[in-house]
Every structure is written in C-alpha cells, then in structure tokens.
Amino acid sequence: MSSHKRKDVSKRIARIHGHVHGIMEMIDEGRTYSEIVQQISAVKAGLDSAVQVIVEDLVDDCIAKSGKSKSVNEILLQLKEVVSRLT
Amino acid sequence: MSSHKRKDVSKRIARIHGHVHGIMEMIDEGRTYSEIVQQISAVKAGLDSAVQVIVEDLVDDCIAKSGKSKSVNEILLQLKEVVSRLT
C-alpha cells in the first residue's frame, strides 16, 4: 500500500476532528444554523482535500512503480476502488 | 432562531465526531486507503443529513409562524442564507 502522504492525510483528518468538535461547541453555544452550516461546508471541503491527497499518493506510487510492471496493476486496482467509493 | 431539532443536529454532529476519530485510528492501524475513503464518504453523507435536518427545522419554523407574518421574513432570510452556504 502507498504511504508517502499518509502522515499528511493523518494530520488533515486530525484537524477535521478538531473542527467537528468546534461545531459541537457552536451548537451548545446557540450559534445560528447559518454559522453551523458554513462550518459543516468547511469540514466537507477538508474531507475532499484529504481524499485528493490520497488519490495523489496512489498516482505517485503508480508512477514510481511504472518500471516494475508487477505492482502497477495492484496500485491501479486500488486507485479504481478508491475512486468508486467517492460520492 | 429555530431550535426544535437542535438536539437532533447536536447528536448527529457528536456521532460524526466519533466517526472521524475512528478514521484517525484506521490510519494509525495502517488500514487501506480504500477503506479510509469509504469512511470519509460516510462522514460526508452524515454531514449532508445534518444539514437536511437544519433545513427541515427552518422550514417547519416557517410553516409554524406562517400566521404571524412579521417573523416569516426573518426565517426565510435565514433559510436563504443557509442554502447559500451549502457547497
């Protein structure tokens, strides 16, 4: 499995975790739905960015292994699976 | 501000918070990108559902106040603002 950008993905998800916690606090504080929806949209954008990093990592791995044909198929299958799971 | 379904929204966001924490653990455990992306998509769907509850709450409030024309404009403006913040 590709893992060069795994730390980057991990950091992004940790940041999103904190962001969602912030939304919980906003709800408790009685902030407006408009403000809450704005933060929910920001979290969704953050999740999209994390997926982008994952796809980039898989593509980079594919390029790096392009000389070693045996593992390219494996990476391409994984990439195909990841893309199929995007909503 | 509308707040009948605020507790429902709060519960959904708390569940999403736990879900994101689960993704952090999956990354640490070395789970595949495919599995991680599947969970990210599930979190995004959960966020969409929370927004749906917020919009429903605002619409319900609007209907409930339809006899008191003064506050209808206020709710409609808030609804418009929420929809404009959806990505």
PDB file of all heavy atoms in Angstrom, chain A residues 5 24 44 55 63 75 84:
ATOM      1  N   LYS A   5       2.239   9.858   1.656  1.00  0.00           N
ATOM      2  CA  LYS A   5       1.486  11.015   2.144  1.00  0.00           C
ATOM      3  C   LYS A   5       0.528  10.640   3.282  1.00  0.00           C
ATOM      4  O   LYS A   5      -0.371  11.400   3.621  1.00  0.00           O
ATOM      5  CB  LYS A   5       0.734  11.660   0.981  1.00  0.00           C
ATOM      6  CG  LYS A   5       1.677  12.262  -0.057  1.00  0.00           C
ATOM      7  CD  LYS A   5       0.949  12.956  -1.177  1.00  0.00           C
ATOM      8  CE  LYS A   5       1.951  13.583  -2.134  1.00  0.00           C
ATOM      9  NZ  LYS A   5       1.329  14.083  -3.371  1.00  0.00           N
ATOM     10  N   MET A  24     -19.596  21.187  17.463  1.00  0.00           N
ATOM     11  CA  MET A  24     -20.364  20.741  18.640  1.00  0.00           C
ATOM     12  C   MET A  24     -20.486  21.886  19.652  1.00  0.00           C
ATOM     13  O   MET A  24     -21.559  22.124  20.202  1.00  0.00           O
ATOM     14  CB  MET A  24     -19.673  19.541  19.297  1.00  0.00           C
ATOM     15  CG  MET A  24     -19.802  18.246  18.515  1.00  0.00           C
ATOM     16  SD  MET A  24     -18.668  16.957  19.121  1.00  0.00           S
ATOM     17  CE  MET A  24     -19.349  16.636  20.736  1.00  0.00           C
ATOM     18  N   LYS A  44     -16.601  19.518   5.047  1.00  0.00           N
ATOM     19  CA  LYS A  44     -16.751  18.721   3.822  1.00  0.00           C
ATOM     20  C   LYS A  44     -15.623  19.033   2.839  1.00  0.00           C
ATOM     21  O   LYS A  44     -15.075  18.119   2.206  1.00  0.00           O
ATOM     22  CB  LYS A  44     -18.112  18.977   3.178  1.00  0.00           C
ATOM     23  CG  LYS A  44     -19.247  18.231   3.862  1.00  0.00           C
ATOM     24  CD  LYS A  44     -20.560  18.450   3.158  1.00  0.00           C
ATOM     25  CE  LYS A  44     -20.601  17.782   1.802  1.00  0.00           C
ATOM     26  NZ  LYS A  44     -21.867  18.070   1.085  1.00  0.00           N
ATOM     27  N   VAL A  55      -5.595  10.217  -3.379  1.00  0.00           N
ATOM     28  CA  VAL A  55      -5.550   9.881  -4.812  1.00  0.00           C
ATOM     29  C   VAL A  55      -4.177  10.252  -5.393  1.00  0.00           C
ATOM     30  O   VAL A  55      -3.568   9.469  -6.128  1.00  0.00           O
ATOM     31  CB  VAL A  55      -6.707  10.567  -5.591  1.00  0.00           C
ATOM     32  CG1 VAL A  55      -6.547  10.374  -7.088  1.00  0.00           C
ATOM     33  CG2 VAL A  55      -8.066  10.017  -5.132  1.00  0.00           C
ATOM     34  N   ILE A  63       3.215   5.904 -10.603  1.00  0.00           N
ATOM     35  CA  ILE A  63       4.267   6.434 -11.477  1.00  0.00           C
ATOM     36  C   ILE A  63       5.621   5.877 -11.046  1.00  0.00           C
ATOM     37  O   ILE A  63       6.413   5.413 -11.869  1.00  0.00           O
ATOM     38  CB  ILE A  63       4.266   7.986 -11.456  1.00  0.00           C
ATOM     39  CG1 ILE A  63       2.988   8.520 -12.130  1.00  0.00           C
ATOM     40  CG2 ILE A  63       5.514   8.551 -12.125  1.00  0.00           C
ATOM     41  CD1 ILE A  63       2.689   9.978 -11.841  1.00  0.00           C
ATOM     42  N   ILE A  75      -1.756  -1.356  -7.776  1.00  0.00           N
ATOM     43  CA  ILE A  75      -1.996   0.055  -7.432  1.00  0.00           C
ATOM     44  C   ILE A  75      -3.194   0.598  -8.214  1.00  0.00           C
ATOM     45  O   ILE A  75      -4.052   1.291  -7.677  1.00  0.00           O
ATOM     46  CB  ILE A  75      -0.735   0.914  -7.725  1.00  0.00           C
ATOM     47  CG1 ILE A  75       0.466   0.435  -6.902  1.00  0.00           C
ATOM     48  CG2 ILE A  75      -1.019   2.401  -7.457  1.00  0.00           C
ATOM     49  CD1 ILE A  75       0.388   0.682  -5.424  1.00  0.00           C
ATOM     50  N   SER A  84     -14.147   4.634  -6.931  1.00  0.00           N
ATOM     51  CA  SER A  84     -15.521   4.107  -6.898  1.00  0.00           C
ATOM     52  C   SER A  84     -16.233   4.414  -5.575  1.00  0.00           C
ATOM     53  O   SER A  84     -17.449   4.386  -5.492  1.00  0.00           O
ATOM     54  CB  SER A  84     -15.522   2.601  -7.160  1.00  0.00           C
ATOM     55  OG  SER A  84     -15.103   1.917  -5.994  1.00  0.00           O
TER      56      SER A  84
END
